[in-house]
């Protein structure tokens, strides 16, 4: 495998895959570096994608395969590894990976995506993997005919609750407000399910268990009432945080850790562009990530042509 490319793309989610497709169509030699063995990012763990044009209801794994298959057909190259440093050497950038590997490129697209936000409550860390999960499609099968709680009120929490309610005896959705954030169509579906109960204005104060999760302690923010629910599993779905730790001090980040990027994807490092959930933006969806990937390559081509 080569050590130098026209473009290196960090991240194999929708932004990275689209960037790879556009880069190959622009005849740029292209390497995609993804830290997981499978490309797809968060989409991989999505049971059903309902809003990608032309592919209604496709499962996340199949959509990820389609994205990567498309990039592979165009002969984009792939490497599994985690970026730990990005060096600006003027016309060349060097990407340094965890095991010491180094790759050089004329331009870089950062499409690092995001990781799960933790609930930061007692019991969460100790019981992670023992009933506490961050991925309903990965772990839901362990809770067939059991009782679970999903924490959150966004699209992911609603999708997870719907997915789990199909197999579980009972699903509690724990939300800190009296209004859900997720898409109306998901709200309607969830509210129509008999085995789902929503605990409004409620926060989890503790996850309890003796080796395995057996309950949660809730507090009602409006009434102050404390309750305990007996559950076998807790799915934490309270949003994501950008996966940008490796870039602190390298490119400009906002106070939440998102990479500050302009409309054209440009970051504070010339020749480095950014797209997808790790960048500052209004709407984080598969389609907006894909659009970012295309935009980054268009901008990168312009950057390369003016050097
Ligand atoms: P999100 O939209 O940011 O929602 C996070 C939810 O968790 C919110 O309801 C929030 O409450 C709650 N929350 C946040 N911190 C909390 C805490 N510490 N304790 C308790 N609750 C907390 O995140 P998401 O659902 O993971 O979705 C991430 C992005 O992906 C969104 O932009 C979403 O639209 C997108 N997405 C899209 C699709 C799709 O289009 N098919 C599918 C999945 C995800 P508040 O509402 O009170 O803030």
């Amino acid at each position: 495998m080569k050590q130098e490319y026209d473009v290196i793309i960090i991240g194999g989610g929708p932004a990275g895959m689209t960037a790879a497709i556009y880069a190959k169509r622009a005849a740029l030699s292209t390497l995609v570096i993804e830290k997981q063995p499978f490309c797809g990012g968060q989409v991989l763990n999505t049971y059903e994608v309902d809003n990608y044009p032309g592919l209604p209801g496709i499962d996340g794994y199949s959509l990820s395969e389609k994205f990567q298959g498309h990039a592979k057909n165009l002969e984009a190259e792939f490497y599994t590894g985690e970026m730990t440093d990005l060096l600006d050497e003027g016309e060349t950038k060097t990407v340094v990976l965890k095991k010491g590997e180094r790759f050089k490129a004329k331009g870089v697209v950062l499409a690092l995506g995001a990781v799960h936000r933790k609930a930061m409550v007692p019991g969460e860390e100790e019981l992670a993997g023992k009933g506490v999960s961050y991925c309903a499609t990965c772990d839901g099968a362990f809770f067939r005919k059991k009782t679970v709680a999903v924490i959150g009120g966004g699209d992911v929490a609603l999708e997870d609750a719907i997915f789990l309610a199909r197999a579980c005896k009972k699903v509690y959705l724990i939300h800190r407000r009296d209004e859900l954030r997720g898409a109306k169509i998901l709200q309607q579906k969830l509210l129509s399910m008999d085995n789902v109960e929503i605990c409004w204005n409620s926060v989890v104060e503790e996850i309890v268990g003796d080796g395995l999760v057996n309950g949660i302690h809730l507090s009602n923010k409006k009434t102050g009432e404390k309750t305990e629910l007996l559950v076998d599993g807790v799915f934490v779905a309270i949003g994501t945080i950008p996966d940008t730790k490796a870039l602190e001090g390298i490119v400009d980040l906002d106070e939440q850790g998102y990479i500050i990027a302009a409309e054209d994807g440009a970051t504070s490092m010339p020749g480095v562009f950014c797209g997808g959930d790790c960048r500052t933006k209004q709407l984080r969806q598969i389609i907006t990530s894909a659009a970012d990937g295309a935009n980054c390559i268009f901008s990168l081509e312009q950057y390369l042509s003016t050097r």
Side-chain angles (χ1 to χ4, degrees):
M1 121 170 269
K2 293 190 299 188
Q3 302 301 306
E4 284 198 45
Y5 291 83
D6 291 327
V7 54
I8 292 179
I9 297 160
I10 313 292
M17 289 298 93
T18 310
I21 292 163
Y22 275 69
K24 288 305 298 181
R25 283 174 50 81
L28 299 170
S29 62
T30 303
L31 177 67
V32 180
I33 297 175
E34 161 61 46
K35 67 179 177 185
Q36 303 295 338
F38 298 104
C39 283
Q42 294 168 77
V43 183
L44 266 184
N45 299 328
T46 304
Y47 174 69
E48 191 178 345
V49 178
D50 218 11
N51 55 357
Y52 198 79
L55 299 169
I58 190 168
D59 67 277
Y61 186 84
S62 300
L63 185 59
S64 302
E65 268 192 334
K66 281 183 189 292
F67 284 158
Q68 191 176 11
H70 193 163
K72 274 191 170 162
N73 283 344
L74 292 168
E75 298 180 349
E77 292 179 46
F78 288 83
Y79 188 83
T80 305
E82 185 174 347
M83 182 182 71
T84 52
D85 207 353
L86 174 62
L87 310 175
D88 186 1
E89 291 151 355
E91 296 211 338
T92 304
K93 317 291 165 197
T94 297
V95 176
V96 183
L97 305 188
K98 204 170 184 174
K99 290 185 182 159
E101 311 97 306
R102 284 170 175 253
F103 294 99
K104 289 183 183 292
K106 294 175 188 159
V108 170
V109 174
L110 300 171
L112 299 129
V115 292
H116 302 293
R117 178 181 283 129
K118 299 267 168 70
M120 310 298 277
V121 294
E124 180 184 26
E125 206 176 316
E126 301 86 303
L127 293 165
K130 296 167 185 157
V132 174
S133 169
Y134 300 86
C135 177
T137 47
C138 318
D139 300 328
F142 299 119
F143 299 91
R144 251 188 112 69
K145 301 205 169 121
K146 295 192 172 177
T147 298
V148 299
V150 176
I151 312 174
D155 283 331
V156 171
L158 304 193
E159 284 179 352
D160 284 359
I162 292 165
F163 172 74
L164 291 163
R166 291 183 178 128
C168 294
K169 185 168 79 183
K170 170 110 189 173
V171 176
Y172 293 102
L173 184 80
I174 318 295
H175 184 42
R176 64 183 178 183
R177 292 188 293 132
D178 58 6
E179 195 187 343
L180 296 167
R181 181 181 292 277
K184 291 285 181 293
I185 193 167
L186 296 174
Q187 296 189 26
Q188 285 162 3
K189 205 166 184 178
L190 187 73
L191 292 168
S192 74
M193 298 179 101
D194 292 337
N195 59 341
V196 175
E197 183 177 332
I198 304 185
C199 302
W200 300 104
N201 303 308
S202 297
V203 290
V204 174
E205 293 201 318
E206 187 174 0
I207 301 171
V208 292
D210 186 10
L212 289 175
V213 167
N214 57 31
I216 48 176
H217 294 173
L218 291 187
S219 170
N220 186 300
K221 286 172 71 182
K222 284 221 163 131
T223 62
E225 189 192 352
K226 310 265 183 196
T227 45
E228 188 177 343
L229 295 179
L230 298 178
V231 297
D232 304 294
V234 178
F235 289 84
V236 182
I238 58 170
T240 52
I241 49 173
D243 195 6
T244 54
K245 204 126 195 73
L247 289 165
E248 280 172 12
I250 295 174
V251 294
D252 289 350
L253 307 178
D254 74 3
E255 65 287 349
Q256 292 172 286
Y258 292 101
I259 297 165
I260 297 173
E263 181 76 14
D264 65 356
T267 70
S268 57
M269 191 187 286
V272 175
F273 298 84
C274 174
D277 281 6
C278 65
R279 64 154 293 162
T280 48
K281 65 195 284 190
Q282 185 183 356
L283 181 63
R284 295 191 170 83
Q285 305 272 300
I286 301 171
I287 188 125
T288 62
S289 290
D292 289 348
N295 196 28
C296 283
I297 295 301
F298 181 75
S299 306
L300 182 55
E301 276 188 277
Q302 288 188 321
Y303 163 81
L304 293 176
S305 70
T306 55
R307 283 193 330 176

